[in-house]
């Protein structure tokens, strides 16, 4: 199979799956190429997003070799396309009826009321709806993607659960949990990690901390990140008298953040619907954290089974997050069980190896004109709920 992935640029959330797809294609005598359509922003480079590129011999830059990259796209057996608004890269394939797997976050992150825009609807119908009966399929990078595309009548039963898949860290769960307890020395450790901007809602983490203090819980909350609301959030913590319990390490690399996660008992993921996916959900669950996640985050309804391997709450009601945290603080055995189940969810299902294998199998079946494999849950299961 000659497989080409076209996106704006590759990052550490896509690299693990790309490495697996590259391996699978080459083992079967085929090839895998990732075409970047634009250079990565310097801000992302400074954050360490592009450091793995030197080891990726399958990456090509469209701006350096337009004709060569376009030839790869048009001659591929299948193309995965996402993270790029310009349709020019796949126009020839679509016109020829060649298979394309679109990879998309939600269309209406700020509200589905935008669906009524005539101009926007015309573009969605041009780019998507008219191909609903063609060899075009949708990889949903978030639980609200399928519902958005249903509004525009696109892809029908060809909408598949997918997402982003940070590197999976294989660990011994008992040792992982013991390490958390050893590092905390009896203190409940909570973690929040994101850019400090409005729709990430750092204030919700402080609301949780305030309620835990009222309950007399011995805890520590680390809030990793920087951004427009950083200083405001720090001042708010001081005003609430949380200076001795809430700490602000600043920006940390992905590797450093994982270390914090592996020491934390509870992870607070407080974004709203503007968080198309939210890779911290995967990472925190992989790290054995009891996750409390806003249900508007794209990853949360896919990965979290409420009360079994994590908890969901309405981001408009931060009191719910505080109540869940209080429950976990009072029942540390429950907190531990949720963390175990979270780790197992990523180990067995939502990881790059499973995602790449299933995607490869589905693409191969489509090319061969065979029936798709049917998966009950996880990556490449059909998203029929359309939240």
């Amino acid at each position: 199979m000659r497989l080409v992935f076209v996106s704006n640029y590759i990052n550490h959330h896509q690299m693990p799956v790309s490495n697996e797809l590259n391996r699978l294609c080459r083992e079967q005598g085929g090839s895998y190429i990732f075409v970047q359509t634009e250079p990565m922003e310097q801000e992302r480079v400074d954050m360490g997003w592009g450091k793995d590129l030197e080891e990726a011999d399958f990456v090509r830059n469209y701006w350096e070799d337009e004709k060569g990259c376009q030839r790869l796209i048009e001659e591929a057996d299948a193309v995965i396309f996402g993270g790029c608004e310009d349709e020019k890269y796949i126009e020839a394939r679509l016109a020829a009826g060649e298979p394309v797997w679109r990879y998309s976050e939600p269309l209406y992150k700020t509200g589905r009321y935008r669906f009524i825009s005539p101009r926007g609807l015309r573009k969605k119908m041009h780019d998507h709806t008219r191909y609903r009966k063609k060899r075009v399929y949708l990889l949903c990078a978030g639980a609200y993607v399928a519902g958005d595309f249903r509004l525009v009548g696109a892809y029908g039963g060809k909408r598949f659960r997918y997402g982003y898949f940070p590197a999976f860290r294989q660990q011994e769960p008992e040792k992982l949990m013991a390490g958390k307890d050893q590092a905390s020395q009896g203190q409940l450790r909570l973690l929040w990690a994101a850019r400090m901007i409005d729709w990430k809602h750092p204030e919700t983490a402080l609301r949780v901390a305030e309620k835990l203090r009222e309950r007399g819980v011995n805890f520590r909350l680390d809030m990793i990140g920087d951004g427009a609301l950083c200083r405001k959030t720090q001042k708010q913590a001081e005003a609430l008298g949380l200076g001795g319990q809430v700490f602000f390490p600043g920006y940390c690399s992905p590797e450093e953040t994982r270390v914090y996660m592996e020491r934390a008992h509870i992870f607070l993921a407080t974004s709203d619907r503007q968080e198309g996916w939210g890779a911290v959900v995967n990472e925190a669950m992989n790290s054995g954290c009891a996750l409390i996640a806003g249900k508007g985050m794209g990853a949360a309804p896919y990965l979290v089974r409420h009360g079994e391997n994590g908890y969901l709450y309405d981001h408009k009601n931060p009191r719910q997050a505080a109540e869940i945290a209080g429950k976990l603080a009072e029942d540390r055995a429950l907190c531990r069980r949720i963390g175990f189940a979270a780790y197992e969810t990523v180990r067995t299902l939502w990881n790059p190896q499973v995602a790449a294998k299933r995607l490869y199998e589905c693409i191969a079946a489509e090319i061969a004109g065979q029936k798709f494999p049917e998966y009950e849950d996880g990556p490449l299961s059909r998203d029929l709920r359309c939240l």
Side-chain angles (χ1 to χ4, degrees):
M1 179 196 302
R2 295 168 299 175
L3 180 60
V4 174
F5 193 141
V6 182
S7 189
N8 53 351
Y9 48 71
I10 198 166
N11 60 54
H12 60 288
H13 297 152
Q14 294 170 320
M15 186 66 76
V17 165
S18 282
N19 284 333
E20 285 296 309
L21 288 173
N22 182 48
R23 179 183 64 80
L24 290 167
C25 287
R26 291 189 177 185
E27 284 180 353
Q28 300 300 318
S31 63
Y32 174 77
I33 297 294
F34 191 107
V35 174
Q36 300 188 116
T37 62
E38 62 186 66
M40 184 181 294
E41 303 99 323
Q42 189 58 46
E43 179 185 6
R44 302 288 191 186
V45 174
D46 293 341
M47 292 170 63
W49 279 39
K51 72 173 189 175
D52 296 330
L53 288 180
E54 295 179 2
E55 302 174 6
D57 60 357
F58 50 79
V59 175
R60 303 289 185 274
N61 298 327
Y62 195 92
W63 64 91
E64 292 178 346
D65 182 12
E66 291 189 14
K67 290 184 178 179
C69 287
Q70 194 62 47
R71 187 182 310 111
L72 288 169
I73 294 168
E74 293 173 12
E75 294 179 355
D77 295 308
V79 165
I80 306 166
F81 180 76
C84 176
E85 295 294 327
D86 195 337
E87 296 283 304
K88 70 179 184 182
Y89 304 101
I90 56 171
E91 282 177 345
R93 287 191 67 85
L94 293 171
E98 297 297 325
V100 172
W101 292 73
R102 288 186 177 272
Y103 190 5
S104 178
E105 291 192 7
L107 295 175
Y108 307 112
K109 290 183 179 181
T110 57
R112 284 179 174 162
Y113 66 88
R114 296 176 58 202
F115 162 71
I116 63 175
S117 165
R119 181 178 179 182
L121 184 56
R122 282 196 298 271
K123 177 169 175 53
K124 300 299 185 297
M125 296 185 72
H126 178 273
D127 293 349
H128 303 286
T129 311
R130 64 178 176 147
Y131 298 110
R132 62 184 178 274
K133 296 183 179 180
K134 304 296 184 180
R135 299 174 70 186
V136 187
Y137 309 86
L138 181 65
L139 298 173
C140 300
Y144 301 98
V145 177
D148 283 0
F149 279 92
R150 182 175 62 176
L151 284 176
V152 299
Y155 306 117
K158 299 185 294 180
R159 310 178 191 114
F160 298 90
R161 294 182 179 89
Y162 209 61
Y164 296 102
F165 301 90
F168 171 67
R169 292 194 179 187
Q170 182 77 42
Q171 303 193 59
E172 173 53 52
E174 288 288 351
K175 291 183 179 179
L176 176 61
M177 296 303 177
K180 294 176 184 291
D181 294 337
Q182 184 177 5
S184 65
Q185 298 182 335
Q187 190 178 52
L188 182 68
R189 290 285 187 93
L190 296 92
L191 179 64
W192 184 95
R195 286 179 294 152
M196 293 194 185
I197 54 179
D198 57 356
W199 53 267
K200 301 277 188 177
H201 297 288
E203 75 281 357
T204 297
L206 296 183
R207 178 71 176 270
V208 170
E210 186 180 19
K211 292 302 179 182
L212 290 178
R213 184 187 60 184
E214 290 177 3
R215 288 173 178 247
V217 177
N218 178 19
F219 76 94
R220 173 189 174 116
L221 167 63
D222 288 296
M223 297 188 67
I224 294 174
D226 204 347
L229 295 182
C230 184
R231 185 56 188 149
K232 179 180 179 180
T233 305
Q234 291 172 342
K235 288 183 177 180
Q236 186 179 0
E238 294 169 3
L240 292 171
L242 294 168
Q245 293 164 297
V246 179
F247 300 88
F248 297 87
Y251 167 75
C252 292
S253 69
E255 294 77 13
E256 292 169 331
T257 301
R258 281 286 189 114
V259 172
Y260 273 93
M261 287 179 175
E262 290 168 5
R263 294 174 180 171
H265 300 103
I266 297 173
F267 188 88
L268 304 172
T270 59
S271 299
D272 60 31
R273 283 282 291 270
Q274 293 185 69
E275 187 77 80
W277 179 255
V280 291
V281 169
N282 312 57
E283 294 168 333
M285 293 177 74
N286 184 186
S287 301
C289 297
L291 178 73
I292 302 175
K295 65 182 181 181
M297 298 179 70
Y302 273 179
L303 274 71
V304 177
R305 301 185 304 275
H306 184 75
E308 295 181 25
N309 65 352
Y311 292 92
L312 301 174
Y313 76 95
D314 185 345
H315 76 271
K316 296 179 182 178
N317 187 358
R319 179 183 296 179
Q320 291 180 356
E323 290 173 351
I324 294 167
K327 178 181 178 180
L328 293 173
E330 292 175 359
D331 191 342
R332 298 293 287 274
L334 173 62
C335 186
R336 184 183 179 90
R337 287 198 303 273
I338 295 294
F340 267 116
Y343 176 84
E344 284 299 297
T345 297
V346 179
R347 183 186 71 82
T348 60
L349 196 60
W350 285 97
N351 62 66
Q353 291 73 31
V354 171
K357 181 175 181 294
R358 289 184 175 187
L359 180 55
Y360 184 90
E361 290 172 347
C362 286
I363 292 175
E366 198 280 340
I367 292 171
Q370 299 173 351
K371 185 178 179 180
F372 280 33
E374 293 292 340
Y375 308 106
E376 291 185 6
D377 193 12
L380 273 299
S381 59
R382 297 181 192 265
D383 193 334
L384 303 176
R385 292 189 302 167
C386 297
L387 295 178

